[in-house]
């Protein structure tokens, strides 16, 4: 039996798997993506992206490629938390961005991007086993592959996670029944829904009653996406119908709302969800097998953080895995994927559970919402919640200034030409940004020239005289930090070229190592 040798096998060709494949390809590693489905699923899923991930897609030029907008993404002045309006205002460097793009279009765009990078996606490949040893992982299924590493991006029921023996603790509940469908509603000329006894309901707004929750939005002309959520109601396993959704809306609002199925062709939602899980993998790495996206965490969809969380897992993992495969990663670098991203996942689990609790009916929850609304009206609290929702509160080590934090985009001039930090990050490589023309920086960085791009630039209001920026956009060092540049370069990007002991191959033990 022929066994194909590859560097990395990515299991799952959804947005998470495709994005990881693209990041690896940018870094010079050629992955193979295996997908169980023979064709892309027609089932509608997410309607867009929310949070920090929009700024990171700008770093790769994918925001422009996917939306057709050549400008830098702009933050939203308002959002929701727990179904309550969150007014953020035009706060400089706000991390809360919205990118309205159906998941189908996101997957199509990412698939073309990775194809342009030379990535192979093999559909109809049903992975049945992953067995690892000291040198690699044997992946079995429709064929047999031998990989240095395997990453499971194969969803909540991940075969890869189960094969690696990674636990997935958490809770499941059937207390809430949610009915969602694309329908045609009798909206007013202003796009509102006139409901007797309630007045005009606005789109993109959660309408909470003593019986549940109702929300609608228009994503395509003439068609609305409606959702009715009910608590502690009996349910059965029968297929969802428009009549079922209409009855649920009537129970929540206390009045029947006319609705029809769309007549024009499209990918229309019609579903009922009666069981929800909140779970997180106890470890994101088990030797040579790693997990990302829904394979690593599942949670309520309120606030729309799922794709943001999963794609930023990839931002953190891709360059570290590539460095390990190529042999220049410092000891323990790959372990920092779990160390840095697991706490971020825990925070998403926390705030989605909190938001779900705020949606529930009951006088006690109403009182809590009133108090919470008062707190949200304070600008500092609104900014705190915006940062939490965006996932921008992730700080990867470092206690000084920007070190460990995301570096916000800012305008620069390089060789007399105006540009932005995000545009310098397109290649996905580490950046050493010299903003004062210090020749000592170039002297120190010479040994890492094969891995780190030194860029001399000027800026009107630079955040520091010099910054070392990881491929995921987080600062690894700044000129005003209390540690030498060479130490930071070694810590994150290995030994300088030609240094005794510098790895020349990526053959590393499958067991995890400890990194300070």
């Amino acid at each position: 039996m022929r066994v194909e040798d590859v560097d990395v096998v990515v299991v799952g060709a959804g947005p998470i798997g495709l994005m990881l494949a693209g990041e690896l390809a940018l870094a010079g590693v050629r992955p193979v993506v295996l997908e169980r489905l023979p064709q892309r699923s027609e089932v509608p899923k997410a309607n867009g992206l929310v949070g920090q991930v929009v700024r990171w897609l700008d770093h790769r030029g994918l925001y422009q490629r996917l939306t057709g907008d050549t400008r830098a993404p702009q933050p939203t002045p308002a959002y929701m938390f727990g179904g309550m309006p969150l007014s953020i205002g035009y706060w400089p460097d706000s991390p809360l961005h919205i990118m309205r793009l159906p998941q189908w279009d996101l997957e199509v765009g990412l698939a073309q991007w990775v194809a342009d990078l030379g990535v192979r996606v093999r559909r109809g490949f049903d992975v049945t086993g992953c067995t690892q040893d000291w040198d690699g992982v044997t992946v079995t299924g429709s064929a047999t592959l031998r990989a240095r590493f395997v990453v499971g991006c194969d969803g909540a029921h991940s075969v890869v996670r189960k094969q690696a023996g990674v636990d997935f603790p958490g809770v499941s509940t059937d207390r809430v029944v949610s009915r969602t469908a694309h329908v045609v509603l009798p909206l007013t000329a202003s796009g509102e829904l006139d409901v007797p006894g309630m007045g005009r309901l606005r789109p993109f707004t959660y309408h909470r009653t003593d019986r549940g929750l109702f929300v609608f939005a228009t994503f395509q002309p003439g068609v609305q996406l409606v959702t009715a959520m009910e608590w502690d109601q009996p349910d059965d396993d029968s297929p969802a119908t428009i009549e079922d959704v209409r009855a649920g809306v009537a129970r929540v609002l206390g009045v029947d709302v006319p609705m029809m199925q769309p007549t024009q062709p499209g990918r229309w939602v019609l579903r009922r969800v009666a069981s929800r899980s909140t779970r997180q993998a106890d470890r994101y790495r088990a030797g040579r097998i790693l997990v990302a996206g829904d394979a690593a965490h599942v949670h309520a969809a309120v606030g729309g953080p799922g794709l943001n969380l999963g794609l930023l897992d990839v931002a953190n993992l891709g360059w570290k895995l590539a460095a390990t495969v190529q042999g220049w990663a410092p000891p323990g670098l790959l372990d920092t994927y779990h160390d840095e991203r697991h706490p971020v996942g825990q925070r998403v689990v926390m705030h989605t559970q909190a938001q779900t609790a705020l949606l529930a009916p009951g006088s006690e929850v109403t009182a809590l919402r009133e108090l919470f609304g008062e707190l949200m009206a304070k600008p500092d609290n609104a900014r705190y919640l915006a940062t939490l929702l965006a996932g921008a509160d992730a700080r990867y080590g470092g206690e000084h200034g920007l070190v460990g934090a995301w570096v916000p985009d800012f305008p620069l001039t390089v060789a007399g030409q105006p540009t932005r930090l995000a545009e310098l990050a397109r290649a996905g490589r580490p950046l050493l940004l010299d903003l004062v023309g210090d020749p000592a920086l170039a002297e120190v960085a010479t040994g890492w020239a094969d891995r780190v791009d030194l860029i001399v630039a000027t800026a009107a209001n630079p955040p520091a005289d010099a910054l070392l920026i990881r491929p995921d956009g987080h600062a690894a060092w700044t000129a005003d930090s209390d540690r030498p540049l060479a130490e930071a370069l070694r810590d994150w990007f290995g030994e300088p070229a030609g240094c005794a002991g510098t790895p020349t191959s990526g053959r590393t033990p499958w067991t995890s190592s400890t990194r300070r």
Side-chain angles (χ1 to χ4, degrees):
M1 179 178 62
R2 179 178 177 271
V3 177
E4 182 181 352
D5 288 316
V6 297
D7 284 336
V8 178
V9 165
V10 177
V11 181
I16 310 304
L18 292 172
M19 193 76 221
L20 177 59
E23 284 291 284
L24 292 170
L26 279 178
V29 173
R30 293 300 173 190
V32 172
V33 181
L34 307 179
E35 169 55 51
R36 177 179 58 85
L37 297 176
Q39 297 179 359
R40 190 171 293 109
S41 172
E42 293 278 349
V43 177
K45 296 179 183 176
N47 292 300
L49 301 173
V50 177
Q52 181 84 329
V53 68
V54 180
R55 297 201 290 183
W56 183 60
L57 291 176
D58 183 28
H59 272 223
R60 295 296 180 267
L62 288 169
Y63 173 81
Q64 292 76 12
R65 176 170 178 151
L66 294 169
T67 65
D69 188 343
T70 59
R71 301 168 299 174
Q74 297 299 310
T76 180
Y79 198 59
M80 306 289 288
F81 187 91
M84 294 183 287
L86 178 65
S87 179
I88 306 163
Y90 288 98
W91 156 36
D93 298 329
S94 170
L96 194 55
H97 293 65
I98 297 175
M99 179 174 159
R100 289 197 172 97
L101 185 73
Q103 185 165 325
W104 169 274
D105 295 332
L106 175 64
E107 290 186 14
V108 169
L110 290 178
Q112 185 58 59
W113 177 59
V114 300
D116 292 345
L117 291 171
V119 174
R120 290 182 296 156
V121 178
R122 296 173 60 174
R123 289 193 166 274
F125 193 113
D126 196 3
V127 173
T128 57
C130 295
T131 305
Q132 64 177 312
D133 52 42
W134 185 261
D135 288 322
V137 187
T138 300
V139 179
T140 55
S142 305
T144 301
L145 290 84
R146 180 72 174 169
R148 300 278 300 288
F149 290 91
V150 171
V151 185
C153 303
D154 50 341
H157 303 288
S158 171
V159 171
V160 173
R161 185 189 66 239
K162 294 172 183 176
Q163 288 286 313
V166 173
D167 289 336
F168 203 41
V171 295
S172 296
T173 178
D174 58 1
R175 190 186 170 204
V176 182
V177 178
S178 175
R179 295 172 173 85
T180 301
H182 277 108
V183 300
V184 179
L185 294 174
L187 300 184
T188 66
S190 61
E192 297 172 314
L193 179 64
D194 199 350
V195 177
M198 296 187 70
R200 290 191 171 187
L201 306 186
R202 299 177 62 186
F204 296 100
T205 303
Y206 287 82
H207 304 283
R208 179 175 168 270
T209 72
D210 291 338
R211 298 165 295 276
L213 193 81
F214 170 73
V215 62
F216 75 96
T218 301
F219 293 101
Q220 294 111 316
V223 179
Q224 289 74 48
L225 183 67
V226 304
T227 295
M229 296 174 64
E230 298 177 87
W231 273 256
D232 300 319
Q233 293 290 324
D235 186 56
D236 56 44
D237 295 329
S238 60
T241 64
I242 292 293
E243 291 73 22
D244 180 37
V245 175
R246 183 170 179 171
V249 171
R251 286 191 296 270
V252 169
L253 296 181
V255 61
D256 182 52
V257 175
M259 59 183 70
M260 300 183 302
Q261 249 177 324
T263 56
Q264 63 263 50
R267 299 181 184 88
W268 307 129
V269 171
L270 180 58
R271 64 171 175 258
R272 179 176 60 242
V273 178
S275 178
R276 285 176 169 78
S277 292
T278 299
R279 299 184 179 277
Q280 186 179 19
D282 65 345
R283 50 194 168 133
Y284 287 9
R285 180 189 180 192
R288 291 183 175 271
I289 299 178
L290 305 101
V291 291
D294 286 356
H297 37 68
V298 292
H299 46 77
V302 60
L307 283 174
N308 181 51
L309 179 61
L311 290 170
L312 291 181
D313 287 345
V314 167
N316 189 286
L317 172 61
W319 67 276
K320 297 174 180 177
L321 183 54
T324 305
V325 169
Q326 292 169 336
W328 56 259
L333 179 67
L334 194 54
D335 290 328
T336 66
Y337 167 57
H338 169 89
D339 296 341
E340 293 180 344
R341 291 305 295 172
H342 193 270
V344 179
Q346 287 178 318
R347 288 187 64 74
V348 172
V349 166
M350 175 272 290
H351 78 67
T352 53
Q353 287 182 313
Q355 291 188 76
T356 302
L358 286 167
L359 296 174
S363 60
E364 300 92 341
V365 177
T366 299
L368 179 60
R369 287 171 64 88
E370 183 177 350
L371 175 60
F372 212 86
E374 293 177 5
L375 295 173
M376 288 169 61
K378 298 182 180 296
D380 286 349
N381 293 337
R383 291 181 180 185
Y384 181 90
L385 290 175
T387 302
L388 174 67
L389 288 168
D393 56 347
R395 189 182 185 108
Y396 303 145
E399 299 178 355
H400 181 88
L402 267 177
V403 176
W406 169 270
V407 181
D409 192 31
F410 61 96
L412 299 144
T413 300
V414 178
Q417 297 298 315
T419 186
R420 297 185 294 121
L421 171 61
E423 293 172 340
L424 299 177
R426 297 291 195 249
R429 286 169 57 85
L431 300 176
L432 177 57
L433 203 57
D434 177 1
L435 299 173
V436 293
D438 184 356
L441 293 176
E443 184 177 353
V444 173
T446 298
W448 287 269
D450 61 326
R451 280 156 274 166
V452 179
D453 290 340
L454 171 65
I455 298 175
V456 180
T458 58
N461 296 292
D465 288 346
L467 302 98
L468 178 62
I469 305 172
R470 304 180 347 173
D472 57 6
H474 286 252
W477 173 88
T478 60
D480 55 353
S481 65
D482 56 1
R483 62 198 302 242
L485 171 59
E487 184 179 323
L489 286 164
R490 279 190 168 88
D491 260 8
W492 291 108
F493 309 118
E495 294 295 327
C499 179
T502 301
T504 56
S505 77
R507 301 189 70 80
T508 54
W510 70 267
T511 52
S512 302
S513 57
T514 302
R515 182 177 185 275
R516 68 175 180 86

